[in-house]
Amino acid sequence: MAHRTLLPWIGAGLALLLVVAASPYPIDGYERTGIRRLLYLEKVKNGELEGDLPPEGARQSLSDIHLRLTGADSLRTVPASDDELQRRIRRLFADRDDSYGIAVLDVTPGAPMRYAELRPTNRYQPGSVGKLAIATGFFSELQRRFPDAPRKRRLLLKNHRVQARDWIISDHHTVPIFDPETDSYTRRQPRPSDVFSLYEWVDFMLSPSSNAAASVVWKEATLMRAFGDDYPVSDEREQRFFNATSADSLGEIAYNVVHEPLADAGITRDLWRLGSFFTHTASRRIDVPGGSMGTPQGLMRWMLRLEQGEIVDAWSSLELKRLIYMTGRRIRYASAPTLRDDAVYFKSGSLYSCEEEEGFTCEAYAGNRYNYMNSIAIVETADGRAYMVALMSNVLRVNSAVEHQSLATFIERIIADIHDTS
């Protein structure tokens, strides 16, 4: 069937699904990836279309993005805590809720590496940060498929198109749709009839944090593991496979797809694990065991391995770093005004719930039953500093999106001040 085969690039006459808000990948990446929302952003940047330009720090090109620690392969874990950075981080959180957990690693070139942490092994519901685990598993399966041919991996990502079908039900996240014939776009939820390339599905998963895309990407990674060199397979063969394989057996395959490459990177299941698909229909068909949880230490280790080129391999690590480079409207931690001119590589995840309480009004990201907010960020500042932050919290009755934004400002001031006084 056409939707499950490798196809030549489809012309620009079709309606294109483009992410404008909270969008990663460098704007000049359209020709390389075929991620079609980048065409819209490129036209806005070039003045061909009206629209909001991304922040100054979001306008770097492909050639500006590098892995910073590829020569630090011997660093198997974070260094010992730096006294000054540790003191300042403790002071920042001294009067804050004790549910906060954080890890900070300063990797500024030419300066001593500095690390600080607070409750680094506390366990949290990771929410959409877990989509980074799916991305890791997906790129690991690409590497299995083409171990010595990154170019073939990229062509599969760019040219293989997958229909959403019923795997995406239900997802409340919306994505903008751009029509190049009319130069207009609107926002809507993905539909079962939608067809996008693998690159686009991964981009949607990591940019507007589409749950629909996360289920599609994890499903495709599971198919890669099951079919090996025969992937991609026809619609008919895919359906026979899912119909003939129990939900438990599929869940074991999907679980291994995600957790084996994390373990290879030194991220054990007591630090980070993912135990559920992100849509109801996918969860019913693939029963992943174990439940989900994450720790600041686990997320920090993922960023460290990424910069070392050890999330799967160097090609995959660099591609993943590009995919979490924010080129649109920034949210939560990444929205701190002080970071506007800086490159930010970012993923967040939230999960909140409310129960009846006298005098309390339930609002987004401010639940009174639970209120998880998680942020990972690699910040590369305009003046040459670079640092990583894994911040996780469960502060009840407080808008944690705003709190993470404020904490980003304070952490940036701490890092900058240490460099100014050292």
Side-chain angles (χ1 to χ4, degrees):
M1 298 294 288
H3 292 160
R4 304 262 345 136
T5 58
L6 286 170
L7 298 177
W9 182 241
I10 304 299
L14 296 177
L16 310 181
L17 185 61
L18 305 181
V19 177
V20 179
S23 306
Y25 216 94
I27 293 172
D28 63 345
Y30 170 68
E31 290 297 327
R32 173 185 172 82
T33 66
I35 297 173
R36 294 172 286 180
R37 66 164 182 87
L38 298 176
L39 181 61
Y40 171 79
L41 291 174
E42 191 173 359
K43 287 184 175 183
V44 171
K45 183 179 178 182
N46 294 338
E48 300 174 47
L49 292 176
E50 291 186 2
D52 294 329
L53 283 172
E56 188 65 35
R59 303 181 198 178
Q60 293 190 8
S61 68
L62 283 166
S63 60
D64 295 323
I65 298 176
H66 308 282
L67 302 178
R68 290 182 168 269
L69 298 175
T70 53
D73 295 337
S74 61
L75 184 65
R76 301 314 303 168
T77 187
V78 295
S81 296
D82 174 82
D83 289 344
E84 181 63 13
L85 182 57
Q86 185 70 45
R87 181 182 68 82
R88 295 192 185 209
I89 291 295
R90 286 190 180 279
R91 187 169 64 185
L92 175 61
F93 286 92
D95 297 324
R96 286 183 162 81
D97 192 271
D98 62 7
S99 77
Y100 278 107
I102 187 171
V104 182
L105 180 62
D106 184 348
V107 293
T108 300
M113 191 174 290
R114 297 180 175 93
Y115 178 72
E117 64 184 21
L118 188 67
R119 307 181 190 97
T121 58
N122 274 16
R123 297 183 174 190
Y124 303 82
Q125 164 54 246
S128 287
V129 171
K131 291 164 184 172
L132 293 173
I134 295 175
T136 300
F138 179 80
F139 274 86
S140 178
E141 294 308 312
L142 281 176
Q143 194 272 344
R144 280 174 175 261
R145 180 70 176 84
F146 301 111
D148 301 313
R151 180 178 176 274
K152 290 183 179 179
R153 299 181 216 172
R154 182 172 62 82
L155 290 176
L156 181 66
L157 283 164
K158 182 177 181 179
N159 296 333
H160 181 44
R161 296 166 63 81
V162 175
Q163 185 172 349
R165 301 193 183 279
D166 63 352
W167 290 88
I168 67 169
I169 301 169
S170 59
D171 181 14
H172 69 278
H173 295 86
T174 62
V175 288
I177 301 172
F178 176 68
D179 183 348
E181 293 185 345
T182 62
D183 284 337
S184 64
Y185 70 86
T186 186
R187 297 189 67 92
R188 67 164 171 81
Q189 298 170 353
R191 297 169 181 167
S193 59
D194 286 334
V195 179
F196 305 110
S197 72
L198 288 174
Y199 249 134
E200 289 172 314
W201 282 119
V202 176
D203 183 59
F204 299 158
M205 176 177 71
L206 297 177
S207 50
S209 200
S210 167
N211 290 341
S215 287
V216 170
V217 172
W218 200 355
K219 182 260 292 186
E220 291 299 311
T222 302
L223 288 171
M224 287 188 204
R225 174 65 67 91
F227 286 99
D229 290 347
D230 288 342
Y231 179 89
V233 297
S234 67
D235 283 340
E236 292 84 356
R237 193 173 178 189
E238 175 186 325
Q239 289 306 313
R240 286 198 302 270
F241 168 70
F242 284 120
N243 290 339
T245 311
S246 70
D248 289 346
S249 297
L250 291 171
E252 184 176 356
I253 297 172
Y255 188 86
N256 290 334
V257 160
V258 165
H259 293 91
E260 286 175 1
L262 290 179
D264 289 342
I267 304 168
T268 53
R269 298 175 193 187
D270 61 325
L271 295 178
W272 190 14
R273 65 175 179 261
L274 184 63
S276 176
F277 270 70
F278 281 83
T279 55
H280 299 304
T281 48
S283 294
R284 287 198 296 267
R285 298 176 75 173
I286 301 181
D287 186 12
V288 182
S292 299
M293 75 87 184
T295 65
Q297 187 179 102
L299 300 184
M300 175 56 70
R301 190 166 294 183
W302 188 90
M303 289 186 283
L304 175 62
R305 293 289 179 266
L306 184 81
E307 291 288 11
Q308 290 176 310
E310 294 188 12
I311 294 298
V312 184
D313 59 13
W315 184 88
S316 302
S317 294
L318 181 57
E319 204 59 26
L320 282 165
K321 188 172 181 181
R322 289 167 174 163
L323 281 159
I324 60 173
Y325 173 56
M326 300 198 71
T327 52
R329 182 180 65 85
R330 296 177 175 182
I331 62 173
R332 303 174 186 175
Y333 189 100
S335 66
T338 190
L339 302 180
R340 177 176 175 80
D341 294 337
D342 304 326
V344 180
Y345 307 82
F346 177 72
K347 187 73 189 79
S348 67
S350 64
L351 191 68
Y352 69 92
S353 176
C354 298
E355 57 189 5
E356 289 189 12
E357 178 182 334
E358 186 176 353
F360 173 78
T361 301
C362 185
E363 296 179 355
Y365 317 125
N368 66 339
R369 183 165 170 253
Y370 54 79
N371 191 42
Y372 293 103
M373 179 65 68
N374 311 298
S375 300
I376 72 156
I378 302 172
V379 178
E380 298 174 350
T381 68
D383 62 2
R385 290 174 291 106
Y387 59 93
M388 311 173 193
V389 179
L391 175 63
M392 309 186 81
S393 62
N394 183 27
V395 185
L396 302 181
R397 305 176 188 85
V398 170
N399 188 321
S400 286
V402 175
E403 286 295 296
H404 278 225
Q405 180 196 61
S406 299
L407 286 165
T409 299
F410 295 134
I411 292 167
E412 163 59 21
R413 290 175 183 171
I414 288 171
I415 300 290
D417 186 56
I418 288 177
H419 281 273
D420 288 343
T421 56
S422 62

